[in-house]
Amino acid sequence: MGIFDIIGPVMVGPSSSHTAGAVRIGAFARRLLGEEPASAVIGLHGSFAATGEGHGTPLALLAGLLDLAPDDEGIPAAREIALERGLEFRFEEVDLGEVHPNSVRMFLASEGTELAVSASSVGGGRIRVFDIDGFQVDLDGVYPTVLLAYPDRAGAVAMVTTILSNAGMNIATLKAHRASRGGQALMTVELDHTPTAGVLNALRHLPHMDQVRFVPRLGFGG
Amino acid sequence: MANPEGTLAFYRAEAEERGVPLSRVFLDGEARQSGKRPEVLEALMLDRMNVMRQAVARGLARPQHSRSGLIRGDAARMERWIEGGGSLLGPAFSRLVAAALSVAEVNACMGRIVASPTAGACGVLPAALFRVAEEKGCPDEALVRAFFTAGGIGLVIEKLASLSGAEGGCQAEVGSASAMAAGALVELLGGSPAQVDHAVAFALANVMGLICDPVRGLVEVPCVKRNAMGAVNAAACAEMALAGMESVFPADAVIETMGKVGRRIPEEYRETARGGLAVLPLTGCDSCGQGNFCS
Ligand code: SF4
């Protein structure tokens, strides 16, 4: 927490949880997908469903998917921008159970790939991503984050950390999540610095790696 | 008997020891923490001030209407009232009110603002600081420093209590903004760190217990007008401190008390929109005569 968290962020109103946080959730999901989604089904939970419309939360979520920043004055026009760019979207109300009241679940699809992300806006524009494709995760978008999907087996973590440490990359957190023993696994690695294309490439070429995704640090407006 | 780190007394002691204003202490602290040079930080603050200035101008120039229909261009209405010579205490006071309304309305209408400390309370600091600076002819460099003082006071409140309506009621949002503005105004006008402390204590004590009860859950009513109240309260408290009045309680104690009060405010009065004004039946607006609000 610093002075510019207090005098800031620069954002589009009316509420840091309902707009700024929602934009960041959209932005995180888009970056995770790796390109502009062609379609989005957006499920609003709790107070996102109850007071989201009046707060412009659906607009903010769309704006994030469209890569607008939290302080972009185009946010109120996000629906029109989405239509223009051919993003098909649909909103629905969902019950995600015992999660933060400001939460959302998104199903995104583009030409090459699909993605399910659930996240909460936890206050002050901060977010917590808690589910990716059915894996329980705990990410906040503050760090550059690498996500690796692979079949669960011994040695995967060691191979990843070797590549990262050889490249001089400091790991802030590393967590492996798996659906079942020996089943599919997802590793999330938060880094202090943005990895180069070479590092990401090396990770992609590890044996048995199904998919390597990268989400750059989410900057905040202003 | 050292003051615990993060309290206002702690920063005050450093300011007094070094013989510098509080803003210097906060700016140096921020430079240390972020690794950025003070000049860079000052430029960043000026950028934020300029966003605030645009928000002030926007709501005064064009009536802001929110999608709920609850906000209907009151800042612009106030501006016309001032131009028509209606001011009760002279235009400076009315313009302070108009500026706070303006920024808060721009926020409600999804315009660009600086959350300071929150989006709901974003009108207080720009209104109080810009209007007094204008009235007193303070240059931007002095204003930049005042914003660091405001931010530093916000950090203290965040540490000792809370800045969120959901945690502490509106005393934590508009109340904190008002205390930040009061302290910053004192420094802007040449008051001592001790006087900053008194102004912060006055401002927060004045709104102790203020609940958060946003109608329909939106940051519109009563929020926009509470921003005007917060700005007026800040000016009054700064003036009392500058005149030499002293608070019976130090600011840290008042801040901690605010935190305690906040935790005991029932949940329906903490941003849940389940109590207070939030559950009053709406009586409709005069504009359409339908006894209802447009949505
Ligand atoms: S009433 Fe609640 S939502 Fe409105 S400004 Fe105050 S704290 Fe924020």
Side-chain angles (χ1 to χ4, degrees):
Chain A
M1 204 61 164
I3 301 258
F4 290 97
D5 298 309
I6 304 284
I7 312 290
V10 179
M11 57 171 277
V12 157
S15 142
S16 54
S17 350
H18 282 83
T19 46
V23 175
R24 298 187 95 213
I25 291 175
F28 185 96
R30 177 203 169 99
R31 289 165 193 208
L32 185 56
L33 189 72
E35 56 190 323
E36 184 139 318
S39 71
V41 179
I42 303 171
L44 303 169
H45 166 92
S47 106
F48 263 16
T51 66
E53 190 57 43
H55 277 114
T57 304
L59 297 171
L61 290 165
L62 273 180
L65 291 176
L66 294 164
D67 217 16
L68 303 187
D71 69 333
D72 194 311
E73 295 201 281
I75 291 172
R79 276 203 173 86
E80 292 75 54
I81 301 174
L83 290 176
E84 250 167 53
R85 295 210 207 150
L87 164 60
E88 277 178 38
F89 60 88
R90 180 159 59 79
F91 287 95
E92 54 187 29
E93 280 193 35
V94 292
D95 183 352
L96 300 179
E98 290 297 303
V99 297
H100 191 282
N102 292 326
S103 293
V104 58
R105 180 184 65 199
M106 300 197 200
F107 294 109
L108 305 180
S110 66
E111 290 277 297
T113 173
E114 286 183 4
L115 182 68
V117 191
S118 301
S120 311
S121 171
V122 297
R126 292 183 300 276
I127 66 170
R128 180 162 302 124
V129 179
F130 61 85
D131 192 296
I132 295 175
D133 286 337
F135 290 98
Q136 268 185 27
V137 298
D138 183 8
L139 299 168
D140 59 12
V142 169
Y143 297 94
T145 306
V146 184
L147 299 99
L148 308 99
Y150 56 98
D152 182 30
R153 65 178 69 211
V157 170
M159 290 190 298
V160 169
T161 53
T162 305
I163 289 181
L164 291 172
S165 72
N166 285 347
M169 310 250 36
N170 197 34
I171 295 172
T173 72
L174 184 150
K175 288 187 192 125
H177 319 260
R178 59 183 188 185
S180 63
R181 189 165 175 179
Q184 199 61 22
L186 180 76
M187 196 189 313
T188 57
V189 189
E190 294 179 307
L191 296 163
D192 282 341
H193 298 283
T194 302
T196 60
V199 169
L200 290 174
N201 237 342
L203 292 172
R204 287 198 175 100
H205 282 96
L206 281 174
H208 313 299
M209 214 35 88
D210 293 330
Q211 195 176 38
V212 177
R213 286 174 151 150
F214 173 63
V215 182
R217 200 182 84 82
L218 290 181
F220 218 147
Chain B
M1 218 183 53
N3 300 303
E5 197 166 338
T7 60
L8 194 56
F10 173 86
Y11 296 113
R12 234 185 89 180
E14 184 181 335
E16 282 159 357
E17 202 171 294
R18 290 170 56 191
V20 295
L22 273 165
S23 58
R24 187 74 237 172
V25 173
F26 291 132
L27 180 59
D28 291 346
E30 185 68 20
R32 257 196 318 279
Q33 200 205 318
S34 66
K36 294 195 176 108
R37 283 181 295 119
E39 306 84 72
V40 174
L41 297 173
E42 283 170 334
L44 196 53
M45 190 61 88
L46 190 61
D47 287 346
R48 299 217 161 167
M49 280 164 50
N50 287 332
V51 173
M52 293 180 183
R53 285 195 164 114
Q54 284 161 11
V56 173
R58 173 169 164 180
L60 298 180
R62 264 181 294 139
Q64 302 293 302
H65 289 262
S66 67
R67 293 167 340 129
S68 70
L70 293 170
I71 297 303
R72 299 188 306 277
D74 283 340
R77 193 167 286 117
M78 188 81 195
E79 182 76 353
R80 289 200 302 275
W81 158 260
I82 300 166
E83 281 162 11
S87 286
L88 301 187
L89 294 172
F93 178 84
S94 314
R95 284 165 57 76
L96 171 78
V97 171
L101 295 175
S102 178
V103 180
E105 284 186 356
V106 166
N107 176 61
C109 300
M110 296 193 82
R112 203 157 167 256
I113 53 97
V114 181
S116 48
T118 63
C122 64
V124 175
L125 274 171
L129 288 172
F130 293 155
R131 288 315 191 212
V132 171
E134 223 169 70
E135 189 64 19
K136 295 288 168 194
C138 307
D140 264 9
E141 302 82 74
L143 259 177
V144 166
R145 290 195 292 273
F147 273 101
F148 276 99
T149 310
I153 295 166
L155 279 176
V156 172
I157 300 177
E158 168 73 12
K159 182 163 169 96
L160 302 186
S162 168
L163 294 171
S164 121
E167 276 169 51
C170 204
Q171 56 169 1
E173 280 201 18
V174 166
S176 296
S178 190
M180 290 158 62
L185 281 177
V186 167
E187 185 180 310
L188 182 69
L189 299 177
S192 66
Q195 288 174 318
V196 171
D197 198 297
H198 294 307
V200 170
F202 290 146
L204 213 45
N206 279 355
V207 292
M208 190 72 73
L210 185 61
I211 62 170
C212 170
D213 49 352
V215 172
R216 290 192 182 176
L218 304 174
V219 191
E220 302 189 9
V221 174
C223 317
V224 170
K225 271 108 194 154
R226 281 189 189 157
N227 274 265
M229 180 276 293
V232 170
N233 181 45
C237 294
E239 194 148 353
M240 290 194 281
L242 286 164
M245 287 175 226
E246 295 187 353
S247 167
V248 174
F249 306 108
D252 290 322
V254 178
I255 294 169
E256 275 171 1
T257 305
M258 186 272 274
K260 282 187 197 145
V261 170
R263 285 190 289 279
R264 299 212 56 179
I265 292 178
E267 205 169 291
E268 60 257 46
Y269 301 120
R270 283 192 275 130
E271 213 176 61
T272 53
R274 289 195 277 108
L277 296 173
V279 294
L280 272 188
L282 289 173
T283 48
C285 73
D286 310 334
S287 325
C288 66
Q290 305 264 320
N292 218 329
F293 281 96
C294 356
S295 52

